[in-house]
Amino acid sequence: MNVTQEHLREEFDAYVASDKKIEPKDWMPDAYRKTLIRQISQHAHSEIVGMLPEGKWIGRAPSLQRKAILLAKVQDEAGHGLYLYSAAETLGVERADLVDDLLSGKAKYSSIFNYPSLTWADIGAIGWLVDGAAIMNQVPLCRCSYGPYARAMTRVCKEESFHQRQGYSIMMQLMKGTDAQKEMAQDALNRWWWPSLMMFGPSDSESTHSSQNMKWNIKRFSNDELRQRMVDMTVPQAECIGLKMPDPDLKWNEEKGGHDFGEIDWTEFYDVIAGNGICNKERLEERNKAHDDGAWVRDAAVAYSEKRKANKQR
Amino acid sequence: MDALLRLGDDALVLAQRLGEWCGHAPALEEDIALTNIALDLIGQTQSYLSLAGSLDPDAPKTDDELAFLRSDREFKNLLLVEQSNGHFGDTIARQFLFDKYALLRAEHVAQQTFDMDAAAIAAKAVKEIRYHADHSSKWIIRLGDGTSESHSRIQKSINDLWKFTGEMFAADEVDIAGSIAGLLPDLTALKTQWDEEIDKVLLEATLVRPEDGEMKTGGRTGVHTEELVTMLAEMQVLPRTHPGASW
């Protein structure tokens, strides 16, 4: 690092430490840029892959109102993907290259979407728990040091909180319904609860990116702090509608003012990340097929626009 | 009631088809566009079917009962809208042929005074369908005048679906009664306008309008292609498996 760079680096650190926003044209360390590209694009990929498990239930939504709500929700996810890719592009990368990394399996997306959506109650559980965990992770990002990401997250979080409410509303309605509906809701909670807690990432002692990201104001709270908040928020919501939490070790701890809860199955966690989840292969194949099937359409759109440009110049 | 079912079922069946695209479109922007159109159509469905279900005070039905508990023989949609998605060009061709018709029909329903409730629904729908028709027309032009592959693909899509366009203008007793009362448009006049609109876009897209051959009909009287019954099996599975349940 030469003197100028060192000086820039010091200025940058001081600027970020004073809680100010970095904008696309500002100087930033390469590692900061790389971390943000990785995080924002992974987030965008997660939105896009996340459309698949829920999209499968649009056709089977049990009422017109639920169908409209689910369509709007999955459409929101596409919108989130779009503006997150745009936020990543402000860091000097192209959306097409980021998408290629997703399709080739090089880039990661949230492991939660490698679990299958088996019943209508899964749509409730995904909204309530998965979007719930996402909000928990993302609200602090609205104060992230990188301006375009922080602003994108402000909008994403507003929509995600609607998503969470629609998920909870599905669960609430099921728990007011027939025995079969109640069973469906409980079964979905049983299957989605632990994967949702895994969404906060490895425990603090194992987390590799955390400390530098904290210093850069990209991350504000530790994985375990956020996971604890998720548990404390969800338990009373489940109790309120008569759902039983699938954790025998769960109990209120008066001293810490929060719940104690059981140990996450970390073998499963690392196994799904490594690509061995129930749907890893299917999700990527589905995205690849959509991309390949659409190639002729994208080519046509480019060819048409070039013809128009050429005609104008003539 | 049949006239309203036709309006509602066209929208519902097409929305159900468009929903299948979600997450699979050629670009993210199209995922958003196609789901947006599906959303508009679900809204139209809710309005038209609620109105249709309220017409018989002795046996009122909700929009959901009409959508989820009727058999394929009771659905009154056009055969065109139930055709499977195929590739993106097939979906766009189906949308384009339907949008141009749906817009003219909704414009008429919005202006008539026989049924003011239907007029209010159609007035809102007109604003939406204008966007749909703009979207599908632009894609017809892009694909027609894009690459040689896209040109031949979209030409084939239009050729393949053309046999379902006659049904839109084949007036039966419901159309004639509806037209005399004022609720529905005169389909002969509508056809002339539709022809003009279609020809204009096809010309710009450098595509050839297919010859009118044998036209397939039956949807309006509940005799559908094999596509619909499979679609309804998926769409209606939960309300049929859990009778009386609320969602």
Side-chain angles (χ1 to χ4, degrees), chain A residues 124-125 127-133 135-136 161 164-165 167-169 171-172 175 189 193 229-245 250 259:
Chain A
W128 174 36
L129 302 173
V130 175
D131 291 328
I135 295 170
M136 209 60 95
S161 84
Q164 194 203 11
R165 272 187 266 172
Y168 190 62
S169 132
M171 295 304 252
M172 203 157 52
M175 291 307 288
L189 171 60
W193 173 242
R229 283 190 200 177
M230 173 75 183
V231 174
D232 293 337
M233 179 193 77
T234 309
V235 171
Q237 290 175 345
E239 276 169 5
C240 176
I241 55 176
L243 283 165
K244 198 173 166 303
M245 298 303 289
L250 184 83
H259 293 86

Side-chain angles (χ1 to χ4, degrees), chain A residues 48 59-68 74-75 82 95 120 173 181 286-287 296-298 300 304 307, chain B residues 16 22-24 26 28-29 32 35-36 39 46 64 68 142 145-146 150 153 234-235 238-239 246-247:
Chain A
I48 303 312
R60 288 172 287 177
S63 72
L64 293 171
Q65 193 59 27
R66 290 286 179 205
K67 195 188 288 289
V74 184
Q75 188 192 32
L82 205 55
R95 195 216 301 187
W120 173 249
Q173 187 68 40
Q181 286 178 303
E286 211 171 328
R287 281 310 313 161
W296 70 275
V297 177
R298 295 190 298 274
Y304 175 75
K307 275 188 207 174
Chain B
Q16 179 75 8
C22 197
H24 304 95
L28 214 38
E29 287 81 353
I32 296 176
T35 37
N36 219 30
L39 258 177
Q46 288 177 296
D64 281 336
F68 293 96
R142 259 182 229 125
D145 195 17
S150 70
R153 275 183 185 247
E234 184 192 15
M235 186 177 96
L238 282 169
S246 296
W247 302 94

Side-chain angles (χ1 to χ4, degrees), chain B residues 114-161:
Chain B
F114 173 78
D115 182 338
M116 294 311 284
D117 291 328
I121 300 167
K124 180 166 180 283
V126 164
K127 291 181 200 157
E128 297 166 345
I129 304 172
R130 265 192 207 128
Y131 280 105
H132 306 172
D134 183 55
H135 172 260
S136 58
S137 301
K138 281 184 174 150
W139 269 114
I140 290 286
I141 295 166
R142 259 182 229 125
L143 296 176
D145 195 17
T147 62
S148 59
E149 183 188 1
S150 70
H151 178 88
S152 56
R153 275 183 185 247
I154 193 67
Q155 181 70 63
K156 183 170 186 315
S157 306
I158 289 177
N159 295 351
D160 289 348
L161 290 170

Side-chain angles (χ1 to χ4, degrees), chain A residues 194 198 263-270:
Chain A
W194 291 104
M198 292 179 198
E263 187 67 19
I264 283 173
D265 181 350
W266 294 111
T267 318
E268 177 181 321
F269 173 81
Y270 287 109

